[in-house]
Amino acid sequence: MTSPDTAVVIPAKNEADRIGLTVRSALALPGVDLVVVVDDGSTDQTGKVARAAGARVVRHSRNRGKAAAMETGAEAVRLLDADTPRHLLFLDADLAGTAQAAAPLVEPVRAGEADMTIAVFQTRVKLAGHGIVVRLSRDGIRRATGFQASQPLNGQRCLTRAAFEAARPLAHGFGVETALTIDLLRKGYRITEVEVEMAHRATGSDWRAQLHRAKQLRDVALALASREPVVVENLAKLRPRR
């Protein structure tokens, strides 16, 4: 039996229909003794359902975005940690029963073979407009680090506490995954991609989905721009001298 050493952090907004099963599946993972759900300004019963399923719930009174929810969840885990910090496994709220397949993400971190793992879904769900953002992120990561990421925007990741702290402050919103990869690689941390049998809800093609993609594109572009040496140098020149 695996000793408890991992906490799951789940950012969630309006996921009452799936969060319960996601939490229960995460709690069944080997070595997981804590699931923290960050209710990021939900207007439904997400927090109530998550708590009933066994999660510790932290609530943002307003929607603050994925990166802020990740930081809030990680801080909640830190406050509950004993002498040895837990590894942090970040999962999406809409994984439902497929969250039970996340165990392979933890294993390389637990074994000391990786500082962060990134999930590669074996079964890919077609997402309208998703390819443009993926290419932007993948190309940006490759330019910055030489690393060729298969699914650079995948939010299912396991990190050591040390790696997470090294990546703070996290990039804003949906740029968080791209920035995490770049920042940790530049600091010499080891990243491994792991294939898993997991899947989340497909994003449609209506106006809400397109708006989501536009926000994602914006955040990824901003995260990449702030990590380009030329952009950083020019921004420094614009800051007023004291």
Side-chain angles (χ1 to χ4, degrees):
M1 183 176 179
T2 305
S3 300
D5 63 355
T6 303
V8 174
V9 176
I10 306 176
K13 181 186 177 186
N14 294 337
E15 291 288 353
D17 59 335
R18 290 198 173 204
I19 191 64
L21 184 52
T22 302
V23 168
R24 290 191 293 274
S25 298
L27 281 169
L29 292 169
V32 170
D33 65 342
L34 173 64
V35 173
V36 174
V37 170
V38 181
D39 182 355
D40 193 25
S42 296
T43 56
D44 65 2
Q45 297 297 308
T46 291
K48 182 178 181 180
V49 173
R51 190 175 290 107
R56 299 285 188 97
V57 177
V58 182
R59 176 171 170 78
H60 290 166
S61 59
R62 60 178 179 82
N63 180 250
R64 294 172 53 193
K66 186 173 186 179
M70 290 172 67
E71 295 221 40
T72 294
E75 179 62 14
V77 172
R78 187 188 68 79
L79 293 173
L80 295 167
D81 273 341
D83 295 334
T84 303
R86 293 174 175 90
H87 304 311
L88 298 170
L89 174 60
F90 291 95
L91 297 178
D92 290 345
D94 62 353
L95 292 171
T98 69
Q100 66 186 347
L105 287 171
V106 184
E107 292 164 4
V109 176
R110 180 177 289 138
E113 298 168 355
D115 302 299
M116 180 172 77
T117 56
I118 304 172
V120 175
F121 289 174
Q122 293 179 347
T123 303
R124 301 194 185 190
V125 178
K126 186 176 181 180
L127 304 172
H130 194 63
I132 296 172
V133 189
V134 170
R135 285 194 297 273
L136 177 67
S137 176
R138 181 183 292 128
D139 291 347
I141 291 170
R142 187 180 64 248
R143 285 196 310 273
T145 67
F147 181 72
Q148 181 72 22
S150 299
Q151 293 181 17
L153 301 178
N154 201 310
Q156 323 327 304
R157 298 176 180 226
C158 186
L159 298 82
T160 63
R161 168 60 71 169
F164 182 81
E165 294 299 330
R168 295 181 67 189
L170 301 182
H172 174 74
F174 296 110
V176 61
E177 290 91 2
T178 301
L180 259 177
T181 302
I182 292 174
D183 293 347
L184 289 183
L185 286 172
R186 283 179 167 175
K187 292 182 178 182
Y189 287 88
R190 301 160 300 164
I191 296 178
T192 300
E193 293 185 311
V194 179
E195 287 195 353
V196 291
E197 283 286 356
M198 302 167 74
H200 51 63
R201 181 191 298 110
T203 303
S205 57
D206 61 10
W207 69 268
R208 290 184 180 84
Q210 295 306 319
L211 180 60
H212 172 79
R213 291 291 169 234
K215 291 179 178 178
Q216 198 173 33
L217 183 65
R218 175 201 63 195
D219 289 352
V220 170
L222 288 172
L224 290 172
S226 66
R227 284 158 179 79
E228 289 280 355
V230 174
V231 174
V232 173
E233 182 180 343
N234 288 335
L235 286 174
K237 292 177 181 178
L238 293 174
R239 295 192 184 102
R241 294 182 180 179
R242 294 183 178 180

